[in-house]
């Protein structure tokens, strides 16, 4: 019996120590962020991550426990062989998750969950953000680490003498150990089952993320990925709806900014365009000189905040005025997004010709189904460009896509709504021109890509001004989402979500104006519709910014939380820990109530769609 118990404990310890080592590796890989933590906080990540590590290690012990139990009743000479095979498969899976999580965190800023599965239908798109060498290095790391760990496990097995003797009494000891495993899976005795919230202990988001076990997180999110039935029941539905209505209810008086009531519309959505890189918004001077000069020709909204942190979420926010639930995206549910209105569809139903331009593939993250549902009758994608001109796996350069839009819009064209989604400023940030700044680090490459796209936009506007349709066209420039760079903003940092919005064009009656109202990306839809004199009643999370008395406020979500900013104070609600990060809740009670109401009403509304 002692041999079986020793082997049981050794296997259990093997898995637990693997996850401890993974946390150490994560801290070292992201040393720039780790260096900002105190030694006490770093140690606390292991303490607060203990139960998640123990839980996952206990899950992996279910099969060994059953095998050891069987060996107590039957002669089981194949026990070490089966243990080796099982361990190799489990190691390959675990190490793959650990390595992928470690790499993707640099780009996404949250621990691995089921998000990559959402993009599995387009493997090329999934890998386009990662350089070839990083991709090869990642595979090599998975193979080498798996083989090394398997070798260590095999060495451990050599310390035991197989086969074990059949002893019924041994079954009692194994069953007792198995009971301990069940407690380990649950996280203890007499308390709630272990949850991701146990890892949240600090005001520093990175510290909380370090404490998360990525394998446990992936497994948990797999069970939760389609569950919309029991999350965010924070308050009564009617109460949440009433609070949201007070925020999103637009006054009847609309400030018209147009010379004509129904102009053409060109919507330019720029990949990852953050206010931090725009001189006109207080960002780095010289990165977007064309945008900085264009602000004098139109109306600049200098306090706009993105709804979330991915392009699919940004599309839902801009086109449908619809935010995302934390860690999710409306585009994951095509059967629901078909019931969500979009302003291009409103305009298409009234005779406008609608076209969507994107140099990449729309067969990615359900883009195509959503874009079609949003009312775009014609789609121009990477398939419409010469593949020999592609600079990255993503597809066509931005300047080629802008040229295609111009070529498709003859001088006498009218009655059109055209949206262009850029992509060159997405990782790996390759550009077809000489870079503005020297350097090969991610931040420099990113800023160079924004500079290139800014030039593309400026050149497009220069050419568009020469067209007859320009005098009756409204142009709106904004971003799909912000960026961690420059400066490595965290997921709870307001600056990560700060994006531009600029309206210009010959149809505009107002120029050289700045509107300072704090507003969310979801309000773009209602603001555009109001200028066309159309009802916005079908857009519960979008309000017209251009009113006499706009209600300031921006709501955003990310994997693990939601934020609300009204221009004075930012409230962050941690959905994992079910609490606000603010240390003075008494002073923030009103804002916290709004933030919770928005999250509740969003959940209620989306569940009904």
């Amino acid at each position: 019996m002692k041999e079986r118990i020793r082997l049981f404990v050794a296997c259990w310890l093997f898995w637990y120590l693997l996850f401890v080592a993974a946390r150490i590796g994560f801290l070292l890989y992201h040393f720039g962020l780790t260096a900002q933590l105190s030694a006490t906080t770093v140690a606390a990540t292991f303490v607060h991550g203990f139960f998640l590590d123990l839980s996952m290690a206990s899950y992996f012990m279910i099969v060994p426990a059953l095998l050891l139990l069987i060996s107590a009743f039957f002669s089981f000479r194949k026990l070490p062989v089966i243990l080796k095979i099982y361990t190799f498969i489990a190691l390959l899976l675990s190490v793959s998750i650990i390595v992928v999580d470690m790499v993707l965190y640099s780009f996404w800023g949250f621990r691995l969950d089921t998000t990559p599965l959402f993009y599995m239908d387009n493997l090329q798109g999934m890998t386009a953000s990662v350089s070839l060498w990083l991709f090869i290095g990642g595979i090599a790391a998975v193979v080498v680490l798996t083989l090394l760990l398997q070798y260590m496990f095999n060495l451990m097995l050599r310390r035991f003498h197989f086969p074990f003797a059949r002893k019924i009494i041994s079954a009692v000891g194994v069953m007792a150990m198995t009971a301990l495993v069940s407690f380990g899976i649950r996280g203890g005795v007499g308390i709630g089952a272990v949850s991701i919230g146990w890892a949240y202990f600090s005001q520093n988001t990175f510290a909380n993320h370090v404490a998360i076990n990525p394998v446990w997180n992936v497994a948990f999110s797999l069970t939760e990925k389609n569950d919309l039935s029991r999350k965010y029941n924070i308050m009564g539905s009617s109460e949440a709806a009433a609070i949201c209505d007070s925020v999103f209810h637009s006054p009847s008086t609309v400030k018209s900014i147009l010379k004509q009531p129904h102009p053409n519309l060109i919507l330019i959505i720029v990949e990852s365009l953050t206010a931090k890189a725009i001189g006109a918004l207080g960002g780095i001077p010289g990165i977007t000189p064309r945008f900085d000069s264009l602000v004098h020709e139109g109306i600049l909204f200098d306090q706009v905040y993105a709804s979330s942190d991915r392009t699919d979420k940004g599309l839902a926010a801009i086109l449908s005025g619809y935010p995302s639930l934390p860690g999710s995206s409306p585009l994951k549910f095509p059967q629901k997004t078909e019931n969500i209105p979009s302003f291009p569809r409103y305009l298409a139903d009234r005779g406008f010709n609608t076209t969507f331009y994107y140099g990449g593939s729309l067969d990615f993250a359900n883009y195509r189904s959503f874009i079609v549902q949003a009312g775009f009758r014609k789609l121009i994608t990477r398939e419409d460009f010469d593949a020999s001109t592609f600079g990255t796996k993503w597809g066509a350069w931005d300047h080629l896509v802008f040229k295609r839009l111009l070529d498709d819009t003859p001088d006498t064209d009218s009655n059109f709504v055209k949206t262009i989604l850029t992509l060159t400023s997405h990782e790996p940030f390759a550009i077809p021109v000489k870079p503005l700044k020297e350097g090969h680090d991610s931040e420099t490459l990113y800023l160079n890509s924004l500079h290139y796209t800014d030039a593309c936009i400026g050149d497009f506007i220069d050419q568009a001004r020469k067209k007859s349709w320009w005098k009756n066209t409204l142009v709106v420039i904004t971003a799909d989402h912000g960026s961690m760079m420059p400066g490595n903003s965290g997921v709870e940092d307001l600056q990560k979500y700060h994006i531009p919005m600029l309206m210009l064009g010959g149809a505009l009656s107002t120029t050289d104006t700045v509107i300072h109202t704090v507003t969310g990306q979801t309000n773009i839809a209602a603001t555009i519709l109001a200028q066309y004199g159309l009802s916005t009643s079908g857009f519960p999370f979008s309000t017209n910014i251009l009113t006499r008395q706009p209600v300031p406020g921006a709501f955003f979500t990310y994997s693990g939380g939601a934020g609300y900013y009204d221009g004075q104070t930012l409230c962050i609600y941690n959905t994992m820990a079910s609490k606000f990060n603010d240390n003075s809740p008494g002073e923030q009670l009103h804002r916290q109530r709004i933030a919770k109401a928005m999250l509740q009403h969003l959940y209620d509304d989306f569940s009904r769609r």
Side-chain angles (χ1 to χ4, degrees), residues 342-385:
S342 298
F343 82 79
R345 189 193 309 166
Y346 273 40
L347 296 177
D349 291 343
R350 286 155 179 82
F352 283 85
N353 300 312
T354 53
T355 310
F356 190 90
Y357 293 82
Y358 181 51
S361 172
L362 291 179
D363 298 316
F364 181 67
N366 290 339
Y367 283 9
R368 185 179 298 274
S369 63
F370 177 74
I371 294 302
V372 172
Q373 291 168 356
F376 289 97
R377 306 294 188 244
K378 184 178 180 181
L379 309 178
I380 302 297
T381 68
R382 61 178 286 148
E383 288 76 21
D384 297 291
F385 296 90

Side-chain angles (χ1 to χ4, degrees), residues 26-40:
F26 186 84
L27 286 164
L28 293 175
Y29 189 86
H30 299 284
F31 186 75
L33 294 172
T34 303
Q36 300 174 23
L37 305 179
S38 66
T40 302

Side-chain angles (χ1 to χ4, degrees), residues 130-146:
V130 181
S131 69
L132 177 62
W133 288 113
L134 186 59
F135 185 72
I136 294 174
I139 294 177
V142 170
V143 172
V144 171
L145 287 173
T146 300

Side-chain angles (χ1 to χ4, degrees), residues 183-230:
F183 293 139
I185 289 174
R186 190 173 183 275
V189 183
I191 57 176
V194 64
S195 71
I196 200 70
W198 291 23
Y200 284 76
F201 68 97
S202 172
Q203 294 296 310
N204 185 293
T205 302
F206 176 69
N208 296 329
H209 287 174
V210 172
I212 295 173
N213 181 300
V215 183
W216 190 96
N217 199 47
V218 169
F220 173 76
S221 59
L222 279 170
T223 66
E224 297 289 312
K225 66 187 180 79
N226 289 320
D227 185 8
L228 295 174
S229 63
R230 55 189 179 90

Side-chain angles (χ1 to χ4, degrees), residues 119-159:
Y119 306 105
M120 281 298 289
D121 58 348
N122 190 321
L123 185 60
Q124 187 179 48
M126 279 187 64
T127 58
S129 300
V130 181
S131 69
L132 177 62
W133 288 113
L134 186 59
F135 185 72
I136 294 174
I139 294 177
V142 170
V143 172
V144 171
L145 287 173
T146 300
L147 293 177
L148 177 61
L149 290 166
Q150 182 68 41
Y151 176 72
M152 294 172 63
F153 181 81
N154 294 346
L155 285 180
M156 182 190 75
L157 287 185
R158 292 180 187 176
R159 301 175 64 87

